[in-house]
Amino acid sequence: MSYQVNENGYYGDFGGAYIPEMLYPNVEELRLAYLNIMNEPSFKQEFDQLLKDYVGRPSPLYYAMRLSEKYNTKVYLKREDLNHTGAHKVNNTIGQILVAKKLGKNRIIAETGAGQHGVATATVCALMGIECIVYMGEIDIKRQAPNVARMKMLGAEVRPAKSGSKTLKDATNEAIRDWINNPVDTHYIIGSAIGPHPYPDMVTRFQSIISEEIKWQLREKEGRENPDYVIACIGGGSNAAGTYYHFLDESTVGIIAVEAAGKGVNSGESAATSQLGKEGIIHGCKTLLMQTADGQITEPYSISAGLDYPGVGPLHSHLYKTGRAEFFSVTDDDAMAAGLELSQLEGIIPAIESSHALAIFNDKKFQPDDIVVISLSGRGDKDLNTYIDYFKL
Ligand SMILES: *Cc1c(COP(=O)(O)O)cnc(C)c1O
């Protein structure tokens, strides 16, 4: 069984590039170039240097002593929350801005829902002095005012998507339209392990720095490279893909994926994509997707803006279908409780997305000598108002 993308852009039954004819030249240019660019020594050198000096990598692998005691197993947290801009997303935007430069592009577009990817994109565009346009649903612009302000402060233009439900998928449509109209000078930075091939593979490779570091960090701390489990929350699936990547073919490493159950998997208000989803096409790839009987995409819901996505990256659909990964879904309430628990046991306030992964201990029991690595994908500063309202702090 292979968990790598094949030459046609598929992970098993999932992936591919389902795009309008007019987008073909752009995607094809990227497909032909991305691996060559990523393998160039000058690219690697600049990428590694920026990850070190700008992002602050390697991120620590922290042994969470009190959390480990409580659940009677050995828990390590991979501290992506300590990256510049507060989450893993910047690993990918640094990589893609360097690819864009190598391709000779001088204009960047992106779409964003909660604004986190928009901020990570605006950040690297400022870093490189490149024009940045971020499409965002009109409703999301109202809901996520602090991130809109951040993008503007960083010099990006935020363009409202006013059609449809005025949220992420409408912003995506606008970005695609822009790319069709500006094929020569523009690169489209997609923010998760989704989109038409080669995006899921390219994003996964940029995020794979997470598992690359986990391996040597565990060797230093435990004398072995492979943990017993790696665990991550899944929105589109980029922090998870990066956390799993170097363990996919290591059969002794258990892979655990945690999705957002919102108010309950069967409540009609959830984002438990793999469990509720059926095969369909979203954002240019074939994957598991929440949809109605006649194929309309269902509006997802989660208290966490970053997990509120109706699809999941094609790699994860493949891991689900083949049984390589175990999938769990965690409700808003259980995630919030796990976020509070980590804050008070370890002095770390996690992003609510990451809190979903931390809630795994309600659903799964580990052995005392298991080494369990959890991706702490982001920090909770951006979620403070949600925590305040929820806990009446
Ligand atoms: C965006 C985000 C996620 C979800 O995105 P993935 O692509 O699934 O990783 C998870 N955690 C944080 C902190 C985020 O900002």
Side-chain angles (χ1 to χ4, degrees):
M1 183 65 68
S2 169
Y3 304 106
Q4 296 291 326
V5 79
N6 71 18
E7 59 199 33
N8 299 319
Y10 281 85
Y11 302 87
D13 298 334
F14 304 104
Y18 296 81
I19 50 174
E21 187 76 34
M22 289 168 77
L23 211 55
Y24 182 78
N26 312 34
V27 174
E28 185 64 3
E29 179 188 29
L30 186 63
R31 185 183 74 80
L32 291 173
Y34 81 111
L35 288 177
N36 290 337
I37 290 176
M38 288 175 73
N39 287 325
E40 277 174 32
S42 65
F43 178 93
K44 280 191 175 159
Q45 201 259 333
E46 198 175 2
F47 183 57
D48 291 347
Q49 193 80 47
L50 284 171
L51 287 185
K52 179 165 177 273
D53 296 333
Y54 188 71
V55 176
R57 302 201 75 91
S59 68
L61 184 69
Y62 166 67
Y63 177 65
M65 196 177 66
R66 301 224 302 141
L67 192 66
S68 297
E69 255 167 36
K70 170 146 194 197
Y71 292 105
N72 195 24
T73 190
K74 292 165 97 171
V75 184
Y76 283 91
L77 302 176
K78 183 58 173 159
R79 299 290 309 273
E80 295 301 300
D81 61 314
L82 295 177
N83 292 342
H84 178 47
T85 68
H88 65 289
K89 287 196 172 70
V90 71
N91 302 326
N92 168 50
T93 56
I94 292 265
Q96 285 201 48
I97 198 86
L98 295 178
V99 168
K101 278 199 346 180
K102 291 271 186 192
L103 289 172
K105 310 286 176 178
N106 57 23
R107 181 174 177 273
I108 295 294
I109 56 170
E111 88 291 330
T112 195
Q116 294 302 111
H117 173 57
V119 170
T121 302
T123 299
V124 297
C125 287
L127 176 68
M128 297 296 168
I130 292 181
E131 181 184 2
C132 179
I133 292 145
V134 179
Y135 290 92
M136 191 168 183
E138 202 168 41
I139 290 183
D140 289 334
I141 288 179
K142 291 209 182 83
R143 286 194 290 208
Q144 311 288 344
N147 276 339
V148 175
R150 282 186 188 102
M151 286 183 262
K152 288 184 177 165
M153 181 131 185
L154 290 161
E157 182 192 336
V158 180
R159 285 195 192 158
K162 300 180 177 182
S163 62
S165 56
K166 303 183 176 69
T167 59
L168 179 61
K169 74 173 160 39
D170 313 290
T172 303
N173 291 340
E174 294 288 334
I176 288 172
R177 203 164 299 145
D178 181 313
W179 208 21
I180 290 172
N181 290 329
N182 299 282
V184 177
D185 66 339
T186 299
H187 175 68
Y188 177 17
I189 298 190
I190 293 182
S192 191
I194 52 174
H197 179 65
Y199 280 99
D201 185 48
M202 180 170 66
V203 174
T204 297
R205 286 169 187 263
F206 288 137
Q207 293 292 358
S208 72
I209 185 69
I210 300 173
S211 48
E212 189 181 315
E213 289 174 2
I214 292 171
K215 277 195 168 256
W216 64 256
Q217 289 172 319
L218 265 188
R219 176 169 289 288
E220 271 181 17
K221 289 172 198 297
E222 294 282 347
R224 61 167 157 122
E225 287 189 341
N226 288 348
D228 295 289
Y229 294 95
V230 282
I231 302 173
C233 66
I234 298 208
S238 68
N239 89 91
T243 303
Y244 306 159
Y245 187 77
H246 290 283
F247 303 114
L248 288 168
D249 296 320
E250 305 282 352
S251 59
T252 61
V253 181
I255 294 179
I256 295 180
V258 182
E259 294 181 322
K263 297 185 175 163
V265 175
N266 297 313
S267 65
E269 289 182 80
S270 99
T273 310
S274 61
Q275 302 195 29
L276 297 175
K278 301 220 162 35
E279 224 171 80
I281 290 172
I282 184 171
H283 216 140
C285 68
K286 186 194 281 183
T287 192
L288 293 173
L289 173 60
M290 288 166 46
Q291 51 189 308
T292 59
D294 55 354
Q296 293 294 318
I297 295 172
T298 314
E299 266 313 301
Y301 163 82
S302 164
I303 194 168
S304 145
L307 301 184
D308 184 349
Y309 183 68
V312 62
L315 167 63
H316 301 296
S317 293
H318 183 52
L319 295 177
Y320 179 78
K321 192 162 174 182
T322 58
R324 175 65 184 96
E326 269 182 282
F327 278 69
F328 292 88
S329 46
V330 160
T331 61
D332 289 356
D333 289 341
D334 287 348
M336 295 303 273
L340 186 65
E341 180 179 79
L342 187 76
S343 304
Q344 299 188 353
L345 281 178
E346 299 288 349
I348 299 169
I349 302 175
I352 298 174
E353 291 86 354
S354 319
S355 297
H356 283 73
L358 294 159
I360 188 68
F361 298 108
N362 297 322
D363 292 324
K364 176 131 182 132
K365 181 114 181 64
F366 300 95
Q367 298 303 314
D369 57 357
D370 278 347
I371 295 174
V372 176
V373 177
I374 302 179
S375 168
L376 202 70
S377 55
R379 59 175 169 247
D381 306 35
K382 69 181 178 64
D383 295 320
L384 218 52
N385 280 329
T386 311
Y387 282 126
I388 288 170
D389 290 346
Y390 186 89
F391 291 115
K392 317 229 175 333
L393 299 172

